[in-house]
Amino acid sequence: MFRRFAFLLALSASSIAIAQQAPAPAAAPAPAEVNARINAALPEAEAAMKSHVMFLASDAMQGREAGSATYDVAAQYVASQFYAQGLRPAGDAGSYLQTVPLVSYKAADKGSFGWTARGGAAQALVFGEDYLPGADPSRATTTIDAPVVFVGYGIDAPGFGRDDYAGVDVRGKVVAFFSGAPAGMPGEERAHFGNAANKAVTAEAKGAVGVILLESPTSAKVRPFSRLVEGWDHARMTWANADGTGFFAAPKTPSLGTLSMKGAEKLFAGARTPWSKVVATAESKAAKFRAVELPGRLSVKLTTETKPVTSYNVAGMLPGSDPKLRDEVVVLTAHLDHVGVGTPKNGDSIYNGAMDNAVGIAALIEEAKRFKASGQAPKRSVLFLAVTAEEKGLVGADYFARHPTVPKENLVADVNLDMPILTYKFEDIVAFGADRSTLGQYVKNAATKMGVAISADPMPDQGFFVRSDHYRFVQQGIPSVFVWPGTKGPGKAAFDAFLSTHYHQPSDEVGQTPPSTGLRACASSRRIT
């Protein structure tokens, strides 16, 4: 399989004329113009790949939200394509589908947060001004009454000279921390240690009974508390335990909610370290805090509403040919779901998800076709896996990585394709995670064969390393890499335009007006012959 890595990378970044538009023009193009663009002739390989995107990102698919009937149609389509390419069923009971039991959960009401300062009277914190409630997928009611310890970023990483818990005992207490991680950390480590679920796992290991996220000066600029209020009761999703409760990585240390800077200031009143000093420190790139127990007790009551949902991963196996290696399984992943139907934008409420991630699924199908056409099986077995609920928190990938349909010890690597931007001819690639395992050398070999450079994460502050499905395999100790076309040449402008205008918007669809930046979809692309 690894000798074919180069072709897989090429597929992930092929240009197949799914052009992206600049901000919407005053007048929409005529239907005939749009149809001419959608149906323009392309070379066979590009046309085949685009045809999958045309179906999966059509309005009829209603944005392929996990758990929806239209997602199920998309899953059956992918299963039929896996069958057509000769992949063997690798789901449940001899099928191509792995059932993923999901739990949709959300805060059932505004909950309550109260603070009793040491030696003082209890005061209720104000919903929407001081706090927003969390939701606990593992239980209907969560009640906590405990001291609070501020632990900076909530990171314990000795290898980076950082222990935010130094000098405090958090057993039986709630820990409060800022989101993210210090800017001085390397990009992928910064994303890993800054992940909120990982912080909860650390807090649980140290005996904490709950975690609170604090608004910081940095988060207030990117996503202020006032914006969080707008979606406080939106549903989230996880996979279901055997008893039907929702999975959370730190079940003994639930996420209780978020405090605004105004709310956090109330907890710090009379603390050894004043809130004003904490805020000043937080604005430093090399922020390092001293852990401190706050002078009082926090009482929290949450009520969580849950609903069972069923969705599916789609799995097809290409058996390996080498007697010594064929039991080893390399997984190729791409997420099939998108975000469904949402707030209308320019009269369009369907979030089609062409780039994100119908293109990644199309790449999986076409790679399977390429193997079939070659007539030569790879040495190792290759599992083609279209996963569900990525947009809900990498849930389908997490479920598979923990409950694989093949022996877990046989999984040796994962290669992930997610949201490659196809509006330009790429000059480099970004391979998240490549330097963290022996996969790195295979990526370098493939890039050399393609004649492209390998570039570092262009936006380490975005935490992309932990935001796609490969990360769930990393968490299970399986070497994984997430591949993107890079930002050299026209790449940065194309990527910035997509993120600012089309990411999670109805405009991420087939047949858009080419951007005014001069970037145009072209029929030619880098190929490995």
Side-chain angles (χ1 to χ4, degrees), residues 170-191:
V170 300
R171 287 175 292 182
K173 301 169 185 175
V174 172
V175 297
F177 48 68
F178 289 129
S179 62
M185 276 186 161
E188 292 180 358
E189 287 86 350
R190 181 181 174 189

Side-chain angles (χ1 to χ4, degrees), residues 398-445:
D398 192 45
Y399 186 81
F400 180 88
R402 294 171 185 269
H403 306 92
T405 56
V406 299
K408 190 172 182 178
E409 61 270 18
N410 291 6
L411 299 177
V412 297
D414 171 66
V415 181
N416 184 51
L417 299 176
D418 183 3
M419 204 178 76
I421 308 305
L422 305 188
T423 56
Y424 65 101
K425 186 173 181 179
F426 69 102
E427 300 175 9
D428 63 327
I429 61 170
V430 177
F432 299 94
D435 293 335
R436 307 296 170 225
S437 71
T438 54
L439 282 179
Q441 189 57 52
Y442 291 108
V443 174
K444 291 175 183 176
N445 294 344

Side-chain angles (χ1 to χ4, degrees), residues 81 360 420 448:
Q81 292 297 319
T448 298

Side-chain angles (χ1 to χ4, degrees), residues 473-493:
F473 291 85
V474 170
Q475 289 178 306
Q476 296 302 308
I478 299 165
S480 307
V481 63
F482 165 30
V483 183
W484 254 353
T487 56
K488 286 182 179 288
K492 186 178 188 307

Side-chain angles (χ1 to χ4, degrees), residues 59-145:
D59 282 356
M61 289 296 98
Q62 296 285 292
R64 307 186 309 278
E65 184 168 21
S68 69
T70 49
Y71 176 89
D72 294 349
V73 172
Q76 292 292 345
Y77 175 83
V78 174
S80 71
Q81 292 297 319
F82 283 179
Y83 172 77
Q85 307 317 325
L87 301 182
R88 296 183 181 178
D92 299 333
S95 75
Y96 288 94
L97 303 181
Q98 179 192 31
T99 301
V100 181
L102 300 173
V103 173
S104 174
Y105 67 101
K106 65 178 182 177
D109 55 37
K110 296 177 180 179
S112 65
F113 275 57
W115 178 249
T116 304
R118 189 177 297 142
Q123 63 171 318
L125 300 187
V126 180
F127 167 83
E129 295 181 15
D130 299 327
Y131 80 92
L132 293 175
D136 186 347
S138 65
R139 54 185 65 86
T141 303
T142 302
T143 303
I144 300 287
D145 188 326

Side-chain angles (χ1 to χ4, degrees), residues 156-291:
D156 184 3
F160 294 91
R162 190 168 198 104
D163 180 5
D164 291 348
Y165 288 82
V168 294
D169 180 359
V170 300
R171 287 175 292 182
K173 301 169 185 175
V174 172
V175 297
F177 48 68
F178 289 129
S179 62
M185 276 186 161
E188 292 180 358
E189 287 86 350
R190 181 181 174 189
H192 171 76
F193 287 111
N195 179 268
N198 290 340
K199 293 182 183 185
V201 170
T202 298
E204 182 184 61
K206 294 180 181 295
V209 295
V211 298
I212 293 283
L213 185 65
L214 302 181
E215 183 185 30
S216 71
T218 300
S219 65
K221 294 173 185 175
V222 178
R223 197 177 184 195
F225 188 81
S226 58
R227 280 184 55 196
L228 299 180
V229 174
E230 297 170 6
W232 73 273
D233 59 348
H234 286 182
R236 285 161 268 184
M237 199 167 276
T238 184
W239 52 266
N241 294 306
D243 63 2
T245 60
F247 169 81
F248 181 63
K252 296 179 182 178
T253 312
S255 178
L256 302 176
T258 302
L259 293 184
S260 66
M261 286 196 284
K262 178 182 177 181
E265 187 173 14
K266 293 181 179 180
L267 271 62
F268 273 81
R272 189 168 67 247
T273 303
W275 176 243
S276 58
K277 183 176 180 180
V278 171
V279 170
T281 302
E283 293 181 307
S284 165
K285 288 187 177 181
K288 216 165 190 181
F289 304 92
R290 180 179 178 182

